[in-house]
Amino acid sequence: MSIVLKDLTKRYGAQPVVERVSLEIQDGELFVLLGASGSGKSTILRIIAGLVHADEGIVLLHGRDVTRESPQERNTGVVFQNYSLFQHMTVADNVEFGLAVRGVPQERRASRRDELLALVGLAGYAARLPRQLSGGQQQRVAVARALAYEPSVLLLDEPFGALDVRIRGQLRRALREIQRSLGVTAILVTHDQEEAFELGDRIGVMDRGRLLEVGTPAELYHRPRHEFVAGFVGEANLLGARSSSGRVRVGEVELPLPISTADRDSQVQWAVLFRPEDLTLGTSREELTDPVVGPGTVEEVLPLGASERITVRLEPLAGVWPVGRDYGETGVVLRVVVPSRRGVSSGYLPDQPVWVGLRSFHVLPRLARRLLLWTDGSPAAEEALRLGGGLARRIGASTTVLCVSASEMFGRRLLARTRETLAGLSPASALLSVHGDAVEEVLGALAREPYDLAVVPGNPARGAAAADGAGPGAGEEIARRAAVSVLVATRPREALRRFLLCTAAGEPGKMDVAFGAQLARRTDARATLLYVDGPPRSRDGVRPSGANGASRPARVWIERHLEQGVHTLVGQGVRAEMKVRRGPVVDEILGEAAEGDYDLVVIGGHVARTRPDERNLALEILSRADRPVLIVRGTPES
């Protein structure tokens, strides 16, 4: 193997930007790291080059451990997006620079320079300065310079990002020819899917510092193993579905689950992937020769030259919900690609009734949510542990349990007791004994791993010191400081059957509804979407007494937000209703929670306060609530 990475990790502060990445790249392979900005792909490249040092892990180049070696000792060639040419040097001097530093004689340098300039299509340009070249030509010089001293590995960090579309296409083809002719192992970092598919022998998809999946372009497009990859690579129609007797039903079609799945009925939920070309359209059911999904209506017809992309909306399908749907979207939206013949339209028009057929599909298990639970053996922590374990079982989540103890002997006893508590509730994926402060241990674990939700005990004494030893305000402190969603289990209920989703009109409110919808769907709970219309503020920010709530334009916006929220909940298969109350926000939320006897209050905690005196409504509710409260942070997946 040319390149081997073992458990590579890099953090900036407590935030991991590369998290336990392991990878093997074969000799002569052109490997592509594909991901959005901030996914960690460029950091991996710089770690391989020696420009950034990893906090943990090993880098092997051709079997040699170079983890602690300098960039000069690694024999890697690097090409950056901004060319990084020496502007005062000629093309010849730029290409020869690395050879000159290594003491290569002039005659050999000139021979190698001319060979490479011919290879990159710049023969005769040796005497020019970089400013006399186009962007594409400068990048060719950068590639020639990186190859001049015959590196064992070529590393390319978004090399075509600053170029126009036509030049990018030309350089991609040139790079592929050069890499193949020299047989050099190369890693290309890009966020451009077309670039990745055109160049990569294999592609690794990155997300939030993790290497999710590696495969050939065809494997990642047609048979992805990870739900994120299915939606990220290419255009996808992605639906969530439940299985029964080894099959999932999408509209009128029953689809078999993968035969390779060991226990197909153990998976509660699945994702069904249809690429746009996997679907067919007809003006009637009889016109279709493929299995029929159901009827729909054309919403948009977009000409794409040799094909047309047609957006079709179907009525809600029983037991099926769109993954990553837009807020307030109703029904099931599918995108279908149909060929155009000699520039002639397919004939489909907006508002036209159509029938959708299914030519091909791919079913993959939905990624289990990750829950973090903790206990110190106190009664409050044990109650939260049982609630979290039961929730994990209901939603099919994997769990990590931190058993926080003051001594090793007590830690062993706590581990044994925790296993008994969780028996029959949730198959804990990890049960860890740690020593130290519970708040810091939990926050540290949340910073190191990508958890979706933490379940922590609340203070049952509310306003007084907790008598159960859980530590006054420990759960509240975690909820205040954590960057992920936190469920504070104050006086846990026997079951989570009724949710009160507290929302505000705006983008953060949409996130709260989306997270609540996911949890309610997975627990089969009923949801009430609540908006509190408090008195309006005057220009100085003070609420005048006796004021009558929002203005009429604001009320229209609020009503629309609530209606869309209910559509979102119903579209996820949740029984839902909406309510509006008027008065002080915290008082009205707590009043509704008590009157409706809700099992869980869900409220957003995404937006940081902009003034020191600004109220933190989520923490106020948490400090006064007599039932579990879920504070939502981040942008959840469907």
Side-chain angles (χ1 to χ4, degrees):
M1 295 290 176
S2 285
I3 304 171
V4 177
L5 310 180
K6 296 182 179 179
D7 295 324
L8 217 57
T9 299
K10 178 65 181 177
R11 300 184 185 91
Y12 290 112
Q15 184 64 37
V17 292
V18 175
E19 186 179 356
R20 294 200 305 272
V21 169
S22 296
L23 177 64
E24 294 185 355
I25 299 175
Q26 301 171 3
D27 293 340
E29 184 177 18
L30 201 165
F31 188 90
V32 176
L33 280 174
L34 175 66
S37 298
S39 60
K41 55 190 187 298
S42 291
T43 302
I44 291 177
L45 202 76
R46 291 170 181 268
I47 290 173
I48 296 171
L51 302 174
V52 171
H53 288 292
D55 296 322
E56 301 170 19
I58 296 173
V59 179
L60 301 175
L61 298 183
H62 295 285
R64 184 166 60 95
D65 188 344
V66 300
T67 309
R68 301 302 169 197
E69 291 187 356
S70 67
Q72 293 78 15
E73 296 173 299
R74 299 190 183 203
N75 193 31
T76 59
V78 185
V79 180
F80 299 103
Q81 179 177 338
N82 60 358
Y83 320 139
S84 299
L85 299 179
F86 299 113
Q87 297 298 311
H88 64 287
M89 292 184 180
T90 64
V91 167
D93 291 337
N94 267 284
V95 175
E96 292 181 33
F97 180 79
L99 298 173
V101 168
R102 289 166 172 78
V104 176
Q106 172 61 41
E107 185 175 344
R108 285 181 55 195
R109 297 204 310 263
S111 174
R112 180 66 172 163
R113 174 201 70 205
D114 292 341
E115 174 188 351
L116 287 169
L117 288 178
L119 191 64
V120 299
L122 290 178
Y125 285 74
R128 297 194 185 186
L129 292 170
R131 66 173 179 270
Q132 297 173 304
L133 304 177
S134 68
Q137 290 170 331
Q138 290 187 59
Q139 196 60 291
R140 289 171 185 258
V141 175
V143 172
R145 183 180 63 182
L147 292 169
Y149 49 88
E150 300 183 13
S152 61
V153 171
L154 179 63
L155 308 173
L156 304 115
D157 191 0
E158 303 269 9
F160 313 129
L163 304 173
D164 64 48
V165 174
R166 184 178 63 83
I167 298 300
R168 281 206 304 268
Q170 293 176 353
L171 281 185
R172 286 202 296 260
R173 290 188 290 273
L175 173 65
R176 193 56 167 143
E177 291 174 2
I178 293 166
Q179 187 266 337
R180 282 176 173 167
S181 66
L182 297 178
V184 63
T185 305
I187 300 180
L188 170 74
V189 160
T190 184
H191 64 271
D192 186 323
Q193 295 186 28
E194 181 180 343
E195 192 167 282
F197 273 62
E198 183 176 341
L199 291 175
D201 294 315
R202 289 188 303 151
I203 300 170
V205 179
M206 297 284 301
D207 178 48
R208 292 178 292 180
R210 294 172 292 160
L211 181 62
L212 299 184
E213 188 171 342
V214 174
T216 66
E219 288 170 343
L220 296 183
Y221 186 79
H222 294 292
R223 298 178 300 280
R225 300 190 306 274
H226 195 286
E227 183 182 317
F228 175 87
V229 176
F232 184 75
V233 174
E235 189 167 13
N237 298 300
L238 200 58
L239 304 178
R242 292 186 176 91
S243 62
S244 176
S245 302
R247 306 178 76 82
V248 294
R249 187 175 185 85
V250 179
E252 300 181 20
V253 183
E254 282 196 346
L255 308 175
L257 298 181
I259 296 175
S260 59
T261 305
D263 184 359
R264 294 179 294 177
D265 287 334
S266 68
Q267 288 289 345
V268 176
Q269 297 187 10
W270 299 79
V272 185
L273 170 66
F274 313 115
R275 296 297 182 187
E277 63 273 16
D278 293 336
L279 299 171
T280 56
L281 292 180
T283 56
S284 65
R285 175 194 289 271
E286 293 72 26
E287 187 179 331
L288 293 173
T289 57
D290 301 306
V292 175
V293 176
T297 303
V298 174
E299 288 201 339
E300 181 186 51
V301 179
L302 182 63
L304 299 175
S307 63
E308 289 180 348
R309 188 181 69 189
I310 300 174
T311 302
V312 179
R313 187 179 299 274
L314 282 65
E315 291 298 317
L317 303 175
V320 171
W321 58 93
V323 175
R325 66 184 294 138
D326 292 334
Y327 182 78
E329 192 170 80
T330 60
V332 176
V333 174
L334 300 175
R335 288 178 174 83
V336 186
V337 169
V338 299
S340 298
R341 298 181 180 177
R342 297 183 178 273
V344 178
S345 169
S346 62
Y348 293 107
L349 299 171
D351 299 324
Q352 179 180 0
V354 292
W355 287 80
V356 179
L358 179 60
R359 180 185 294 125
S360 184
F361 65 93
H362 176 62
V363 179
L364 62 158
R366 300 211 69 193
L367 186 66
R369 294 293 184 250
R370 295 192 62 187
L371 269 61
L372 179 68
L373 317 177
W374 75 270
T375 181
D376 57 3
S378 64
E382 291 294 289
E383 285 188 3
L385 187 63
R386 282 190 287 271
L387 176 70
L391 179 62
R393 177 181 55 81
R394 290 291 305 276
I395 70 177
S398 65
T399 58
T400 297
V401 183
L402 296 182
C403 298
V404 185
S405 60
S407 68
E408 185 176 345
M409 182 177 68
F410 181 69
R412 288 197 296 269
R413 293 176 183 172
L414 186 57
L415 275 172
R417 199 166 81 194
T418 302
R419 287 193 182 94
E420 293 178 4
T421 300
L422 291 174
L425 289 178
S426 171
S429 58
L431 200 60
L432 308 176
S433 178
V434 295
H435 308 299
D437 179 74
V439 172
E440 298 305 324
E441 290 293 340
V442 171
L443 291 173
L446 292 174
R448 290 189 298 270
E449 301 282 349
Y451 290 100
D452 300 291
L453 178 66
V455 181
V456 301
N459 182 355
R462 290 299 177 209
D468 55 22
E476 287 85 345
E477 180 67 10
I478 292 169
R480 183 180 70 82
R481 294 169 56 186
V484 303
S485 298
V486 177
L487 195 164
V488 183
T490 300
R491 298 177 186 172
R493 319 279 282 191
E494 291 184 5
L496 300 179
R497 298 188 182 92
R498 295 199 66 197
F499 287 12
L500 180 63
L501 306 184
C502 310
T503 186
E507 293 305 315
K510 296 177 182 179
M511 295 163 62
D512 307 337
V513 174
F515 196 100
Q518 295 169 36
L519 203 58
R521 182 189 72 234
R522 289 169 177 251
T523 57
D524 197 27
R526 186 180 183 88
T528 297
L529 187 61
L530 174 68
Y531 179 87
V532 178
D533 187 4
R537 293 184 183 272
S538 62
R539 290 184 179 178
D540 61 3
V542 178
R543 294 184 186 273
S545 59
N548 292 319
S551 64
R552 187 176 185 280
R555 284 199 299 272
V556 172
W557 182 43
I558 291 164
E559 290 170 2
R560 184 167 182 269
H561 171 78
L562 292 174
E563 289 173 357
Q564 290 179 331
V566 170
H567 287 320
T568 298
L569 289 160
V570 172
Q572 293 283 319
V574 178
R575 295 162 295 166
E577 62 181 359
M578 64 180 178
K579 281 190 177 182
V580 176
R581 292 177 65 121
R582 290 179 171 81
V585 176
V586 174
D587 291 343
E588 293 301 324
I589 289 174
L590 294 174
E592 177 65 28
E595 293 170 19
D597 195 27
Y598 293 94
D599 301 303
L600 180 67
V601 177
V602 181
I603 187 165
H606 330 269
V607 183
R609 292 177 292 170
T610 57
R611 303 191 312 270
D613 62 337
E614 192 172 357
R615 300 171 67 189
N616 190 321
L617 296 178
L619 293 184
E620 281 192 43
I621 290 168
L622 182 58
S623 69
R624 295 172 53 187
D626 61 353
R627 65 201 66 228
V629 176
L630 170 60
I631 297 181
V632 177
R633 289 189 176 90
T635 306
E637 299 172 359
S638 295

